[in-house]
Structure formats: structure tokens, C-alpha cells
């Protein structure tokens, strides 16, 4: 068994430029991870509470505080912004392009950071959270799209998964920065963690200024020459190299095949990752750091095994593992809510949960959504799946305080909330088994062939691609509209055989005379 992810011998050129570009673009995940990670610590900072408290609530020690409603609003408004941003990502990404879109969307994020840094009251701070989320939503739908359209098939899953790795790194950095500033008795306690986000945004913009547009976007816009230049840069080959010409020809033919069908995709919208495992547990700083370390380190094996074992097995095992962990936490916390042993069990199994999530669903959800849709509808479909993720993140972030906390108007579920989260994980397992296709080792064009030929997701791992869209294209638009892909392929092979027989006959006749 080979343990490395090695470039196949029959693939020309170098994958290093595409891998480096894909890993850099994944850095955009730091923007979301860091912004999400800082807010919990900021809301607990004494000076922030002193500045932003409206007096409607007081802490247990009699100090300034904010209400559960205000906390829910500030935390969840980021996800509301990401929802609307993700919906707008498709039309803007198709109009501006993947590269320029990422640059423009990062400026939207910067505007949100400016508002948060300048704020001294909850309304402006909340507005800044919304615009930062809006920028993150715009970016989040384009990053896996950009990566998938640039990367070779044998390494695509591992590199696209780096987006989730960047999110976990952002969360970890946020925990460290919050801890370093939370005891300051001035505005620097919360403004320093917020303002650091300018650095992440500037790194993203600077890099995107020198990176190429994706060859598939150029094909979508009818710019064949620019697509050749982009692919030659990604593969480090001459623009006239046969490998470059063949790959661009296949992308072009596949796109024209999609257009000839007036394609409306019926592929499943991927569900969002399961809920945050620590919702419902009172987190001290040390617990946050431990879970963030587990989150970062556990993502790394997922980046490797997504190309060794495949998408379906990891997603299925991950969902089952998370289901078991959630129910152990729920049962233990309900049976002995205040016991010291029970608290240790809760923390341990939350860490196990994070391991299962970070090594499976965390990175692979972005991988699958970035590769299962056809070029014609890819941006729109990825926008919808990402928006669904952010919408449910918003719903979970908003309702969790009301589900967990005690007091009037709250459900006071405490650890029982994990029964709900665990139920969602079990639903995810059935979803994967019945609807998620195995796409390991397939090019984006071969993924289209998989969906055209295989009707059952659980049989997809045995699929072997046979179609050359360049040959199918020769059959004409009428044939492609009126016949299935398998029938068109058979016709193309018959036509090729007739041409080959004719050529061999003429060669034999010439030799005879």
C-alpha cells in the first residue's frame, strides 16, 4: 500500500503551482475562523462589557452585562451576513470572475472590520459583524470553487480541504489573542483582536493580485486563449504542449455538452456541517484552547485520507462517530449534571466529537460541494449550498442560548441539547449513504459523467469513466439533446471505429499498389 499522494506517471507537467495556489487561497478560511473565534472572548471581556452594556442586565457579581437576546444578536448576525453574502456570490463571481471576485469581497469584509473597530455601542458593533459576515459569505462560496477549478484531480480533495484547516487555525489564533488582551483595562482589549483582521485581509488581497484566473472560468466566458495561458501556468507546461491542449479541449467539450442539454442539475444540496459541539457547555479559556488544538491537529489526517479512502467512507464514519459522542455527552450530562467525573467525560467526548468532525465533515463538506456540480451551474449551486450552511449556523447560533439557558422564556435543556445535535448527525449518516457519490480520483468533467451514468450513490465507488467529451462533441448538438450520455458515447465509438476501419483499408490498398 502506498502512503504518499503521488502524481500519476501519465500526467504531464507539475502540480506544484496549482497546489501552492490552492493552499494560498485556502487562507481565506482564516478570515472566518478568526472572526468567529474572537467574538466569544470579546463578549466576556470586562472592558467591553463596561463599554457596551446598556444596563438591561447585570452579571452574577453585580458588574455590567448584556442580555441573552443581545448576545444572540451579536453572535448570530455574522451568520446572517454570511447567508446573504453566499447567495450573492454566484452572480457576482460569474460576472467579476473567481479571482477579482475574491479581491472585491475581501474589501467588503474590511468594511465590516472597520465598523467593529470604531464601535462604542451595540448597534454599530452589530452592523460591523453583519458586513464582515457578508464579506465572509461572498468569499466562502468562491474559495472551494476557485480551488476545484485549478487543481488536478489526484490531489484536489486534500487541497480544497485546506480551507477548513485554515478555519481551525483562525479559531486557534483567535483564542490566543483573546487571552493575551482580555485583562487590558482599555479599548485595546477588544480593538486589538478585531483590528488584527486587517492583516489577514491584506494578505489575501495581495496574493490574489498575482494569482491567475481559473481556466474553467475563462472557458465559461468564451476566452479560449486565456484559458490555455492559465492552465499552462498551473501545470508549468508550454501553452502548445499536447497535455495542455487535450485538457482544455476536454473542458471546452464538456461545457458545450452541458450547454446543449440546457442542464438543470438535480444533484443533492450538501447539508451543512453538524452543530457546534461545545454549544451548551460553559467554556473556560483552557477548554477553548484544548478544543481548538484538537480541531487543528485532527483536520490534518482528513486532508490525507480524503484522497486515500474517498469522500463517502470518511463522511459516513464521521457522522456515526459524532452521533455516538453527542449521545454519550447528552446521557452523561443529564444523569449527573454537576459531578466532577461527568464534567471530565463531557470534555473528553467533546474532544472526540471534534476529532470526528475535523477529520471528516469539516474539510470534506467543502471538497464535495466544490466538485459535484457542472460548470454551467457550479457557482450558483455552490452559492446555494454555502448559503444553506450559513443560514443554519445563524439559526443554531441564535437559538442555542434560549435552548440551553435557564430562566423565563428559555428551554433550560442544558446537556439535553446534545440529543438534538446527535439526531442531526444520524440524519447526516443516512444522507451520505443514499445521496453522496464517491468522486475520488475523477476530474470535474468525469464527475459529470458519473452523475449521468450512475443512478445509485452507493454504487458510485465502482464507477470507471469512459467518455471523452471531445469525441462526444463530434456527434452534434441534436444527438446530445435527444439521447442519453451513454447512447451518445456508443455512437461516438461506432463512428470512431468506422473511421479507423476506413483508414486501415485505404492504407492496405495503398500498400498493395
Amino acid at each position: 500500500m502506498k502512503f504518499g499522494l503521488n502524481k500519476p506517471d501519465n500526467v504531464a507537467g507539475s502540480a506544484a503551482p496549482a497546489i501552492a495556489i490552492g493552499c494560498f487561497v485556502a487562507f481565506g478560511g482564516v478570515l472566518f475562523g478568526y472572526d468567529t473565534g474572537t467574538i466569544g472572548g470579546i463578549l466576556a471581556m470586562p472592558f467591553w462589557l463596561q463599554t457596551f452594556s446598556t444596563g438591561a442586565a447585570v452579571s452574577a457579581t453585580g458588574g455590567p452585562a448584556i442580555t441573552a437576546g443581545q448576545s444572540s444578536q451579536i453572535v448570530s448576525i455574522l451568520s446572517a451576513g454570511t447567508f446573504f453574502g453566499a447567495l450573492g456570490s454566484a452572480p457576482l463571481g460569474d460576472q467579476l470572475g473567481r479571482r477579482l471576485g475574491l479581491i472585491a469581497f475581501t474589501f467588503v469584509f474590511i468594511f465590516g472590520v472597520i465598523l467593529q473597530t470604531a464601535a462604542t455601542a451595540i448597534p454599530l458593533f452589530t452592523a460591523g459583524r453583519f458586513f464582515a459576515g457578508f464579506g465572509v459569505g461572498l468569499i466562502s462560496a468562491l474559495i472551494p470553487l476557485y480551488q476545484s477549478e485549478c487543481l488536478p484531480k489526484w490531489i484536489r480533495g486534500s487541497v480544497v480541504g485546506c480551507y477548513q484547516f485554515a478555519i481551525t487555525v483562525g479559531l486557534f489564533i483567535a483564542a490566543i489573542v483573546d487571552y493575551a488582551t482580555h485583562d487590558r483595562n482599555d479599548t485595546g482589549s477588544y480593538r486589538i483582536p478585531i483590528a488584527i483582521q486587517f492583516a489577514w485581509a491584506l494578505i489575501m488581497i495581495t496574493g490574489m493580485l498575482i494569482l491567475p484566473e481559473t481556466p474553467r472560468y475563462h472557458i465559461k466566458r468564451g476566452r479560449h486563449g486565456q484559458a490555455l495561458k492559465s492552465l499552462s501556468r498551473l501545470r508549468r507546461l508550454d501553452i502548445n504542449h499536447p497535455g495542455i491542449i487535450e485538457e482544455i479541449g476536454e473542458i471546452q467539450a464538456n461545457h458545450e455538452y452541458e450547454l446543449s442539454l440546457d442542464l438543470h442539475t438535480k444533484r443533492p444540496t450538501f447539508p451543512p456541517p453538524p452543530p457546534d459541539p461545545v454549544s451548551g457547555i460553559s467554556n473556560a479559556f483552557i477548554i477553548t484552547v484544548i478544543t481548538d488544538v484538537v480541531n487543528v491537529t485532527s483536520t490534518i489526517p482528513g486532508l490525507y485520507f480524503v484522497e486515500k479512502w474517498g469522500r463517502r467512507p470518511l463522511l459516513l464514519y464521521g457522522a456515526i462517530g459524532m452521533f455516538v459522542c453527542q449521545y454519550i455527552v447528552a446521557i452523561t450530562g443529564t444523569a449527573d449534571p454537576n459531578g466532577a467525573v461527568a464534567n471530565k467525560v463531557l470534555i473528553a467526548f467533546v474532544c472526540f466529537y471534534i476529532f470526528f468532525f475535523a477529520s471528516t465533515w469539516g474539510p470534506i463538506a467543502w471538497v464535495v460541494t466544490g466538485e459535484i456540480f457542472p460548470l454551467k451551474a457550479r457557482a450558483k449551486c455552490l452559492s446555494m449550498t454555502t448559503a444553506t450552511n450559513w443560514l443554519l449556523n445563524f439559526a443554531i447560533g441564535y437559538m442555542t442560548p434560549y435552548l440551553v439557558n435557564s430562566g423565563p422564556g428559555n428551554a433550560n435543556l442544558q446537556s439535553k441539547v446534545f440529543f438534538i445535535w446527535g439526531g442531526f448527525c444520524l440524519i447526516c449518516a443516512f444522507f451520505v449513504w443514499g445521496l453522496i457519490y464517491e468522486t475520488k480520483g475523477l476530474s470535474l468533467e468525469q464527475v459529470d459523467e458519473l452523475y449521468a451514468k450512475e443512478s445509485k450513490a452507493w454504487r458510485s465507488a465502482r464507477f470507471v469513466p469512459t467518455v471523452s467529451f471531445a469525441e462526444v462533441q463530434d456527434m452534434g448538438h441534436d444527438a446530445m439533446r435527444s439521447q442519453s450520455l451513454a447512447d451518445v458515447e456508443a455512437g461516438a465509438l461506432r463512428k470512431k471505429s468506422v473511421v479507423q476501419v476506413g483508414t486501415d483499408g485505404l492504407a492496405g490498398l495503398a500498400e498493395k499498389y
Side-chain angles (χ1 to χ4, degrees):
M1 177 180 178
K2 293 183 178 180
F3 288 95
L5 298 176
N6 300 315
K7 182 170 74 74
D9 294 335
N10 61 343
V11 176
S14 172
I19 293 173
I21 289 170
C23 289
F24 175 82
V25 173
F27 180 82
V30 172
L31 276 66
F32 172 66
Y34 183 87
D35 196 20
T36 303
T38 55
I39 193 59
I42 288 173
L43 294 185
M45 291 178 180
F47 194 87
W48 187 92
L49 290 170
Q50 177 184 326
T51 304
F52 287 84
S53 175
T54 59
V58 293
S59 68
T61 59
I66 58 175
T67 66
Q70 291 170 329
S71 175
S72 292
Q73 172 186 310
I74 293 170
V75 172
S76 62
I77 197 67
L78 180 83
S79 294
T82 56
F83 169 73
F84 291 107
L87 286 181
S89 181
L92 293 173
D94 277 344
Q95 186 65 35
L96 297 174
R98 311 337 185 191
R99 172 178 161 272
L100 291 180
L102 286 171
I103 294 172
F105 301 162
T106 306
F107 279 108
V108 176
F109 174 79
I110 289 175
F111 177 67
V113 174
I114 291 172
L115 294 183
Q116 291 179 77
T117 306
T120 55
I122 287 177
L124 184 60
F125 192 81
T126 302
R129 293 275 296 165
F130 176 83
F131 280 105
F134 189 71
V136 167
L138 291 165
I139 292 168
S140 64
L142 275 194
I143 286 178
L145 180 63
Y146 183 98
Q147 292 172 307
S148 296
E149 292 187 351
C150 287
L151 289 160
K153 61 185 181 182
W154 61 273
I155 196 68
R156 185 178 62 239
S158 297
V159 179
V160 173
C162 287
Y163 178 53
Q164 177 66 22
F165 180 71
I167 292 175
T168 64
V169 170
L171 288 166
F172 178 70
I173 295 174
I176 300 298
V177 174
D178 276 354
Y179 180 70
T181 66
H182 78 285
D183 284 333
R184 291 176 62 107
N185 195 31
D186 55 27
T187 59
S189 61
Y190 66 90
R191 281 179 170 158
I192 289 173
I194 293 171
I196 284 176
Q197 295 175 100
F198 288 119
W200 313 143
L202 291 175
I203 291 172
M204 187 73 180
I205 291 171
T206 303
M208 294 309 301
L209 287 172
I210 61 176
L211 297 185
E213 181 56 87
T214 74
R216 287 176 172 86
Y217 177 74
H218 283 311
I219 290 295
K220 181 180 176 67
R221 303 296 290 183
R223 301 193 288 254
H224 189 271
Q226 289 176 271
L228 284 169
K229 292 179 182 178
S230 175
L231 189 62
S232 68
R233 181 177 174 185
L234 291 171
R235 303 292 184 263
R236 201 178 285 172
L237 291 171
D238 185 83
I239 195 171
N240 295 316
H241 189 280
I244 295 293
I245 296 173
E246 180 182 354
E247 186 170 351
I248 285 293
E250 188 70 4
I251 295 171
Q252 177 77 54
N254 173 258
H255 182 52
E256 292 184 6
Y257 172 76
E258 292 172 3
L259 294 176
S260 73
L261 299 178
D262 191 23
L263 187 64
H264 297 282
T265 181
K266 295 182 180 179
R267 300 172 195 182
T269 299
F270 207 83
D276 182 354
V278 294
S279 297
I281 292 181
S282 179
N283 293 304
F285 168 75
I286 191 64
I287 297 176
T288 302
V289 172
I290 290 172
T291 55
D292 283 339
V293 169
V294 173
N295 201 9
V296 172
T297 56
S298 299
T299 305
I300 296 173
L303 302 181
Y304 173 78
F305 287 111
V306 66
E307 291 297 348
K308 298 301 289 186
W309 290 351
R311 284 63 161 157
R312 274 177 59 87
L314 285 181
L315 289 172
L316 192 58
Y317 300 149
I320 294 171
M322 290 187 292
F323 163 74
V324 172
C325 291
Q326 294 277 13
Y327 266 67
I328 290 175
V329 170
I331 293 168
T332 305
T334 302
D336 187 13
N338 299 315
V341 174
N343 284 333
K344 292 178 181 178
V345 171
L346 293 181
I347 294 171
F349 275 92
V350 163
C351 290
F352 281 124
Y353 171 96
I354 293 172
F355 167 78
F356 280 113
F357 172 78
S359 60
T360 59
W361 281 77
I364 299 173
W366 299 110
V367 173
V368 174
T369 53
E371 62 190 13
I372 65 174
F373 300 113
L375 177 58
K376 179 183 177 181
R378 187 172 296 138
K380 298 180 181 65
C381 293
L382 194 53
S383 177
M384 291 173 60
T385 61
T386 308
T388 303
N389 175 35
W390 299 135
L391 177 64
L392 292 184
N393 270 327
F394 166 76
I396 292 167
Y398 188 82
M399 70 183 180
T400 294
Y402 297 103
L403 290 173
V404 174
N405 294 345
S406 59
N410 296 326
N412 193 26
L413 291 179
Q414 301 295 328
S415 294
K416 297 183 185 72
V417 75
F418 290 98
F419 285 116
I420 299 175
W421 302 158
F424 282 124
C425 293
L426 187 60
I427 292 171
C428 286
F430 284 105
F431 182 92
V432 170
W433 181 81
L435 293 174
I436 298 301
Y437 283 63
E438 181 55 68
T439 52
K440 177 176 75 76
L442 301 178
S443 70
L444 298 183
E445 289 67 41
Q446 289 168 343
V447 172
D448 288 347
E449 180 188 352
L450 165 65
Y451 275 93
K453 288 183 173 181
E454 183 54 72
S455 60
K456 300 291 189 267
W458 53 88
R459 296 200 301 245
S460 59
R462 300 194 298 266
F463 172 76
V464 178
T466 58
V467 166
S468 167
F469 282 96
E471 294 175 356
V472 168
Q473 187 181 27
D474 294 336
M475 296 298 294
H477 290 292
D478 291 339
M480 289 188 286
R481 279 181 177 274
S482 60
Q483 302 178 38
S484 69
L485 180 59
D487 293 336
V488 176
E489 179 190 11
L493 291 175
R494 286 194 298 271
K495 181 178 178 181
K496 183 178 180 180
S497 298
V498 169
V499 171
Q500 183 64 43
V501 169
T503 303
D504 292 344
L506 289 174
L509 187 63
E511 184 179 347
K512 180 178 180 180
Y513 290 97

